């Protein structure tokens, strides 16, 4: 025997069974991880290819009616919303619309306490 050779004894039957069990558990963990990664990639790919073929919705002409005597104070954009501030007879009101479809998204009125 030379100094570079190392003597590795054969594992006992209990050790061999333990090594086999550890290998099997590592194989199960690896396959589970690979399956999870594949599921994520399939979900992302599905979302990308599903939305790619659709054309964006073209908003149709929309007419929003205002209360009698209402005046538009300001307009703005917040994310995907169009925000319009109105003065309705001394009461401030904020109306929001979806910027893509121009459908009403909400209304907020401000009133003084009695």
């Amino acid at each position: 025997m030379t100094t570079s050779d190392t003597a590795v004894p054969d594992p006992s039957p209990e050790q061999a069974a333990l090594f086999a069990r550890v290998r099997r558990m590592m194989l199960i963990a690896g396959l589970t991880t690979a399956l999870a990664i594949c599921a994520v990639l399939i979900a992302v790919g599905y979302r990308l290819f599903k939305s790619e073929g659709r054309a964006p919705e073209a908003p149709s002409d929309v007419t929003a009616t205002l209360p009698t005597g209402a005046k538009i104070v300001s307009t703005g954009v917040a994310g995907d919303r169009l925000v319009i501030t109105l003065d309705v007879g001394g009461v401030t009101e904020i109306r929001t619309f979806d910027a893509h479809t121009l459908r009403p998204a909400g209304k907020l009125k401000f009133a003084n306490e009695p």
Side-chain angles (χ1 to χ4, degrees), residues 42-98:
I42 288 170
V44 169
Y46 175 76
R47 293 291 301 235
L48 286 176
F49 288 115
K50 181 182 174 193
S51 64
E52 188 175 288
R54 271 191 291 162
E57 279 187 36
S60 58
D61 293 338
V62 177
T63 301
T65 57
L66 298 177
T68 306
K71 295 180 183 179
I72 297 176
V73 177
S74 68
T75 61
V77 178
D80 287 342
R81 302 279 189 229
L82 175 65
V83 181
I84 300 176
T85 306
L86 303 172
D87 180 19
V88 184
V91 176
T92 303
E93 183 177 313
I94 297 175
R95 294 188 181 190
T96 56
F97 299 88
D98 183 87

Side-chain angles (χ1 to χ4, degrees), residues 11-12 14-24:
S12 67
E14 294 86 19
Q15 290 175 334
L18 179 65
F19 292 156
R21 185 174 179 199
V22 168
R23 282 189 195 112
R24 188 175 39 226

